[in-house]
């Protein structure tokens, strides 16, 4: 089953958000020492996605670049601000989406949430199931998140340019800071992913565990707000930093500024992540919720 | 000794930096519920120092407001950007510096560093020694930092408008985020400070410990950089989050991006703080160093 399709042309993308520093500094390192990301069956390019946002020490200048890669957005020539234009240029360079000259994208991100080294998969075909199993086997503190609730091509993420691609999401790291632990995790995870793709291409994968744990995206919760969209509360202290810890019906989830507590009323065991991510305050998003699932590899 | 000078007119300032949210949200709360900050012998005003930076979700628009309160800066009418203008307006409202109508300023700040609830004192006269002892006695996880290496009036901080004033500095909190633990610490520490000033005014202070531990500022270290001022390395993982943990000659302090380690070569036992503070990357500042000292209260 493996090896029927080869993924030889890989792009590692950093700085899709200009204030997520780990990927930006790793790209710089790898451009100076390209043998670190070289693998036998791969040609690996690096792409610095949003250099102007980095210069200005911001997530973006005009709009979030990692929401500009939907087919509609890429085709709409009216969408012409900096990130929308840069998205079209990157789609030209790595894609075009739907018929991409690149086989596999690794897009490097940081979060202020306590998510540790997380690997976000956009589908659960055989390739991704094996990839997740391999990364978790090599890096036991890695967490696999599934955002496979829509088909890959319907995503608006940069990594949806190619049919196969992943997001490496490492935290906690404040915006505009470099933490060594976070940088090291990102470098390690990226290395395992490159190893996997190379082994996959060469039909040389080791024996993999038959299943692994993953967190499947369900929904996004907003912070408590009033009719004017002003925040009325914050993430409850029990939930802060508790990414991937179970939340049950009746558990406190928010504290209002007047001291009142709000409880979660969902009907499933939820695993919050992206808890209190700074970049999501624009839209008053408090966290994402996932269900814990076991993925059978074969 | 206490009670000879009364400090009746107090100002609590939040949002001196627009992306340090705890003070901004506490001001909002206290404006709705002013009895929370009311004390018998005090009139307490609240000042939202940089509302435009908050609107734009930035530390500042043009320049760091908390460096605009030197006597020279306040007198220099050529300094006319937003923060420089706003500083003059605040000086008019609370000051003027040198002859201020306000007796005591509490300026509320957040840091991305793991400093916990820190109280920064700008001098160690009898009032401040008692204040530090009181806060530490009431809040055992509080840390007292002394920035008394220059006279108060030579500081360029907002809180230097008045002869007596403190900075409440709470972390770790990413920029543009509200953490409940950090908010709660800030509210608690501010309450103890108000209590102290009120008790001091009324000659009603309880018995205080005879001495307490504090961290006296020595110097600021820069990140490793090349001749062009580009960062060559980052805070060493052993030092990350280790605010107020001792650093000795020969301990690793930075890791260069090529993997090489840099060791601290100072000749004293240093206590780093403001480690990897996001806002200080502008100037490639890595951390401040302090010496641990015991302060005799009487």
């Amino acid at each position: 089953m493996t090896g029927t399709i080869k993924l030889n042309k890989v792009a590692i993308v950093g700085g899709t958000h200009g204030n997520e520093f780990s990927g930006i500094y790793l790209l710089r390192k790898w451009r100076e020492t390209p043998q670190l990301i070289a693998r036998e069956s791969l040609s690996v390019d690096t792409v610095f996605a949003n250099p102007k946002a980095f210069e200005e020490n911001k997530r973006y200048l005009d709009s979030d670049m990692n929401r500009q890669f939907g087919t509609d957005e890429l085709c709409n020539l009216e969408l012409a601000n900096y990130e929308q234009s840069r998205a079209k240029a990157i789609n030209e360079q790595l894609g075009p989406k739907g018929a991409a000259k690149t086989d596999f994208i690794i897009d490097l991100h940081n979060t202020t949430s306590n998510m540790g080294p997380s690997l976000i998969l956009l589908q659960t075909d055989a390739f991704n199931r094996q990839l997740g199993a391999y990364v978790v086997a090599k890096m036991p503190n890695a967490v696999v998140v599934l955002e496979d609730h829509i088909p890959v091509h319907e995503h608006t993420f940069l990594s949806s340019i190619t049919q196969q691609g992943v997001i490496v999401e490492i935290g906690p790291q404040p915006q505009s800071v470099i933490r060594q632990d976070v940088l090291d995790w990102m470098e390690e995870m990226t290395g395992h992913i490159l190893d996997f793709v190379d082994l996959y291409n060469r039909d040389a994968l080791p024996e993999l565990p038959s299943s692994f744990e993953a967190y499947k995206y369900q929904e996004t919760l907003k912070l408590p707000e009033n009719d004017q969209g002003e925040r009325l509360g914050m993430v409850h202290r029990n939930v802060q930093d508790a990414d991937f810890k179970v939340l049950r019906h009746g558990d406190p989830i928010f504290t209002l500024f007047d001291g009142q507590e709000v409880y979660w009323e969902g009907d499933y065991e939820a695993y919050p992540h992206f808890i209190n991510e700074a970049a999501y305050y624009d839209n008053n998003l408090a966290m994402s919720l996932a269900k814990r699932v076991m993925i059978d590899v074969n």
Side-chain angles (χ1 to χ4, degrees), chain A:
Chain A
M1 185 166 182
T2 59
T4 49
I5 300 170
K6 310 274 190 210
L7 301 169
N8 302 114
K9 230 178 132 25
V10 173
I12 305 178
V13 181
T16 298
H17 296 130
N19 57 12
E20 299 178 4
F21 280 5
S22 306
I24 295 168
Y25 279 85
L26 283 175
L27 285 198
R28 204 176 272 190
K29 174 177 179 172
W30 294 330
R31 285 173 179 185
E32 282 172 17
T33 325
Q35 63 270 28
L36 292 172
I37 49 171
R39 298 292 185 277
E40 187 184 321
S41 70
L42 306 182
S43 83
V44 181
D45 282 332
T46 57
V47 178
F48 187 0
N50 199 334
K52 277 188 77 74
F54 175 64
E55 268 169 40
E56 298 204 10
N57 199 13
K58 288 175 165 178
R59 183 173 174 88
Y60 54 77
L61 302 191
D62 299 319
S63 54
D64 189 329
M65 188 184 290
N66 209 29
R67 303 293 181 272
Q68 306 306 327
F69 292 89
T71 306
D72 291 351
E73 287 81 359
L74 290 170
C75 292
N76 184 345
L77 302 177
E78 305 281 304
L79 301 177
N81 72 25
Y82 177 66
E83 279 79 14
Q84 290 162 344
S85 303
R86 188 78 191 113
K88 291 173 175 69
I90 292 169
N91 186 52
E92 172 75 20
Q93 182 182 352
L94 302 181
K97 184 164 177 164
K101 58 182 95 51
T102 307
D103 299 314
F104 188 74
I105 289 174
I106 305 172
D107 191 21
L108 303 176
H109 287 261
N110 291 122
T111 173
T112 67
S113 307
N114 188 29
M115 285 174 61
S118 294
L119 174 64
I120 301 179
L121 303 178
L122 303 183
Q123 55 182 320
T124 40
D125 62 348
F127 173 80
N128 279 274
R129 295 197 306 271
Q130 292 175 308
L131 169 57
Y134 181 87
V135 169
V136 169
K138 291 289 176 183
M139 193 174 179
N141 61 335
V143 179
V144 176
V145 176
L146 305 179
E147 297 203 10
D148 61 345
H149 49 287
I150 54 173
V152 172
H153 69 271
E154 289 183 20
H155 274 291
T156 57
F157 299 144
L158 189 151
S159 57
S160 74
I161 293 176
T162 47
Q163 182 53 31
Q164 294 292 358
V166 295
I167 299 170
V168 170
E169 184 73 73
I170 321 268
Q173 182 168 275
Q175 296 174 339
S176 309
V177 159
I178 311 168
R179 286 182 65 106
Q180 190 186 351
D181 51 0
V182 167
L183 192 92
D184 289 352
W185 280 338
M186 185 178 280
E187 184 162 26
E188 182 186 349
M189 183 176 278
T190 305
H192 293 315
I193 295 166
L194 291 171
D195 288 344
F196 172 83
V197 179
D198 179 47
L199 292 165
Y200 177 90
N201 285 339
R202 298 192 287 109
D203 271 335
L205 284 176
E207 197 171 341
L208 295 172
S210 60
S211 69
F212 65 95
E213 179 186 277
Y215 295 91
K216 186 175 168 70
Y217 172 83
Q218 301 298 313
E219 60 182 310
T220 301
L221 300 187
K222 295 197 82 174
L223 289 165
E225 53 185 17
N226 65 15
D227 293 343
Q228 287 77 52
E230 293 168 341
R231 293 165 207 132
L232 295 178
M234 57 195 157
V235 169
H236 192 278
R237 58 192 311 150
N238 290 7
V239 177
Q240 178 68 49
D241 301 331
D243 296 74
F244 305 115
K245 304 278 194 304
V246 68
L247 184 74
R248 295 194 176 88
H249 183 97
D251 286 342
I253 187 163
F254 300 117
T255 305
L256 304 187
F257 296 126
D258 66 9
Q260 202 181 322
E261 294 191 336
V262 178
Y263 303 92
W264 191 58
E265 300 192 334
D267 62 355
Y268 60 98
E269 293 201 334
Y271 291 81
H273 55 290
F274 283 116
I275 297 170
N276 224 352
E277 160 57 45
Y280 298 166
Y281 271 55
D282 284 9
N283 300 311
N284 282 349
L285 304 182
M287 67 192 75
S288 298
L289 297 183
K291 285 184 179 171
R292 185 173 171 278
V293 294
M294 290 304 291
I295 302 294
D296 290 324
V297 175
N298 296 307

